[in-house]
Amino acid sequence: MTIRHNQKLVQNKFRKDWQRRVRCHFDQPGKKVRRRKHRLERAAGLAPRPVDKLRPVVRCPTIKYNRKIRAGRGFTLAELKEAGIPRKFAPTIGISVDYRRANLSMESLTANVARLKAYKERLIVFPRRNGQHKKGDASAEEVKGVHNKSTDTSRNVSGLITMVDKALAEAIREIDKSDMPEGEKEAYKKLQKARSDARLVGIREKKAKAEAEAAEAKK
């Protein structure tokens, strides 16, 4: 709405109530320090357990973004069954489970099963009671190594088992000129010359014939 003539300013908001309406976040640097301190305290309380859970590799929805991968909500029951992990036991060892997601391709199934098996190989499960080792628990030497800090443990699962897009790694990409074979360099120039030779073959034959006739006439 434009102002015309000598009218009053409509809904003028020049005088703000700074005490009640305006908030300045001067505590932002302090909150940053407190958040970091809280993360360290939580990691120390959970140690030697990691602070995050293992999540699957999934494709983003829609045609626009399905070429990208991201961390999913949880592993499917089929993936857990293929990896040999019971679905009720998985959340207790740091594996997220999603009962709603379903596998629509073998690529996603094999990739997430390999992810689960890689996690299972690195996993050290402490016994619930000291000295009472059950099936699936770590040995006494492994538990002792973790307590003595002789065994390397990771605080973040996502940093230990990274997500790799195999389709992108195996995709056909443009190669450099240095990687091309010796006979395939300057392919465009060769094709351009071949097209030019095919187009001018008649003109060149006519020109050569005329030059030969002129040479014979001079004799």
Side-chain angles (χ1 to χ4, degrees), residues 164-182:
V164 179
D165 191 357
K166 290 186 177 181
L168 184 62
E170 297 173 359
I172 299 173
R173 295 186 178 182
E174 185 179 355
I175 61 175
D176 297 331
K177 289 185 178 181
S178 59
D179 298 335
M180 293 178 65
E182 190 64 30

Side-chain angles (χ1 to χ4, degrees), residues 17-193:
D17 190 354
W18 285 79
Q19 299 296 326
R20 295 174 57 199
R21 304 295 181 188
V22 180
R23 183 178 180 184
C24 297
H25 299 275
F26 297 128
D27 59 345
Q28 189 176 10
K31 282 191 172 183
K32 180 181 177 181
V33 174
R34 284 195 292 273
R35 284 196 302 269
R36 185 175 184 276
K37 185 179 178 182
H38 177 70
R39 286 196 301 270
L40 293 174
E41 290 176 354
R42 182 171 179 270
L46 290 174
R49 291 178 294 170
V51 295
D52 57 346
K53 288 189 175 183
L54 181 69
R55 299 193 181 276
V57 178
V58 297
R59 292 276 171 187
C60 297
T62 70
I63 297 174
K64 184 177 181 181
Y65 298 105
N66 63 3
R67 68 185 182 277
K68 296 183 179 180
I69 59 171
R70 63 173 177 84
R73 183 183 181 88
F75 291 91
T76 62
L77 302 182
E79 292 166 353
L80 294 171
K81 185 177 181 181
E82 194 73 20
I85 301 173
R87 62 179 183 178
K88 291 186 178 180
F89 179 65
T92 63
I93 57 174
I95 299 174
S96 55
V97 182
D98 188 3
Y99 294 92
R100 299 175 298 178
R101 189 170 69 86
N103 294 104
L104 300 180
S105 64
M106 285 299 297
E107 287 80 4
S108 66
L109 180 65
T110 53
N112 287 321
V113 168
R115 191 171 171 82
L116 284 169
K117 289 182 178 179
Y119 178 76
K120 198 175 176 182
E121 290 175 359
R122 294 174 172 86
L123 187 66
I124 299 175
V125 181
F126 282 25
R128 298 187 66 180
R129 296 181 180 179
N130 292 331
Q132 298 182 6
H133 293 270
K134 295 183 179 180
K135 184 180 179 181
D137 292 346
S139 62
E141 290 78 10
E142 292 176 340
V143 175
K144 189 176 180 181
V146 173
H147 285 304
N148 297 336
K149 297 183 179 180
S150 59
T151 304
D152 294 333
T153 57
S154 178
R155 193 189 302 177
N156 295 317
V157 176
S158 57
L160 181 65
I161 304 175
T162 56
M163 295 187 296
V164 179
D165 191 357
K166 290 186 177 181
L168 184 62
E170 297 173 359
I172 299 173
R173 295 186 178 182
E174 185 179 355
I175 61 175
D176 297 331
K177 289 185 178 181
S178 59
D179 298 335
M180 293 178 65
E182 190 64 30
E184 303 231 352
K185 290 183 179 179
E186 298 181 349
Y188 180 76
K189 288 184 179 180
K190 290 181 179 180
L191 290 173
Q192 193 177 24
K193 188 176 183 304

